[in-house]
Amino acid sequence: MLHISLHKIFILAGMLIIGLASLSAQATIVASVKPIGFIAATIADGVTSVSVLLPDGASVHSYALRPSDIKNLKNAELVVWVGPDMEAFMSKAISNVSILHNNIQIDQIPGVQALLLRGVEHAELGSLYRHIGEKKIENSVSTDRQGRHYHGEYNMHLWMSPDIAKKIAIAIHAKLLQQMPISQDKLDANLRYFQSTLFVANDKIHKQLAPFKDKGYLVFHDAYTYFEKHYGLSPTGYFTINPEIQPGAKRLHHIRMKLIEQKGICIFAEPQLRPTVMQAISRGTDVRSGILDPLGASITLSKDSYVQFLVQLSDQYTSCFKGD
């Protein structure tokens, strides 16, 4: 009997170890959007898993959480998001006590200050849009149920800034270190890897984009300010503040005139923009068309995915500027 009891104890102990290992494997970081997941994936490499709430092809400005999303948020070891002015769909869920104490709100990280939206371009295109018989510019800015603007006073696409990305990485490292001190060596090595690979990529991108600093161009929506300022690019303007609203015919005409007057060489769409919009602007001109992806939809989460994201953006700009 004693022999059988000990045998059962060993079996139960083995099952407990397997169960704990399974729970550890399921522990995850949940990032609101993919580029934030890219940063988290480097710091968490070999320590815990990372998942992303926003599906590929969905819009951060209009997404609604599914029951499975709520469950993932509640079960997460750590939730990383920009803040309510970007992911309004997160606000209610994040107020859950268990999530509230295990989240990083990027716009609250010390030293992270959102840049104001471009003043001149915003005013110029706004004045064009207000008097052309379509919806006023105020109505093209998304609002949540409390009337708060997603794209109001500040540009919240914070993941576009390599400098802010470093601060995000440090914040994730610090939080995971509190939760998983046994993994300190791995977490420290991952942070050093992120910083060193970002340094190398940053230098390469600066050199790659340097010849195009004075080239005029238009982007679909004002998501790239941090990237452009960091690398010294000079956009002529943008089509819309709210990417949910496709520009109408009269807007496109005024954008076309603006581009021609300022001798822009490229217009950049995003994956969701209809090709006919690009054709309407560039028809009969020498203006080239390109695609920018502000969410890195084609990139898989990995240890190097944030660097790949920045390099991809740089290559997308360069390809259009050079006419490749």
Side-chain angles (χ1 to χ4, degrees), residues 39-196:
I39 301 169
T42 306
I43 307 305
D45 182 67
V47 177
T48 188
S49 60
V50 178
S51 64
V52 176
L53 274 182
L54 190 73
D56 287 339
S59 170
V60 67
H61 307 290
S62 61
Y63 188 66
L65 290 175
R66 302 165 298 183
S68 59
D69 295 328
I70 301 293
K71 182 179 179 181
N72 289 339
L73 285 170
K74 288 182 178 179
N75 292 336
E77 293 290 319
L78 178 63
V79 176
V80 191
W81 63 310
V82 174
D85 288 330
M86 173 55 72
E87 309 101 329
F89 63 86
M90 293 273 289
S91 298
K92 184 176 180 180
I94 215 76
S95 64
N96 180 287
V97 174
S98 63
I99 304 173
L100 188 63
H101 294 293
N102 292 295
N103 89 97
I104 294 173
Q105 185 175 326
I106 294 169
D107 65 6
Q108 298 298 311
I109 294 174
V112 174
Q113 296 179 344
L115 299 174
L116 288 171
L117 286 166
R118 297 188 188 96
V120 175
E121 291 87 351
H122 183 264
E124 288 178 356
L125 289 182
S127 66
L128 290 175
Y129 294 171
R130 284 191 180 95
H131 306 294
I132 56 180
E134 298 186 308
K135 292 181 180 179
K136 292 184 179 181
I137 192 70
E138 291 89 339
N139 293 333
S140 73
V141 180
S142 296
T143 58
D144 63 15
R145 291 175 183 173
Q146 287 74 44
R148 180 174 51 237
H149 291 280
Y150 298 173
H151 280 70
E153 186 178 6
Y154 295 102
N155 187 323
M156 302 303 293
H157 299 82
L158 303 180
W159 61 83
M160 289 286 181
S161 165
D163 291 331
I164 292 176
K166 286 186 241 179
K167 295 183 184 298
I168 297 171
I170 291 169
I172 294 172
H173 170 270
K175 197 74 171 180
L176 291 181
L177 201 55
Q178 291 176 3
Q179 297 174 339
M180 308 171 186
I182 195 171
S183 298
Q184 179 171 357
D185 289 347
K186 182 61 175 171
L187 289 169
D188 289 350
N190 287 347
L191 179 59
R192 289 194 298 269
Y193 182 83
F194 180 85
Q195 293 169 329
S196 63

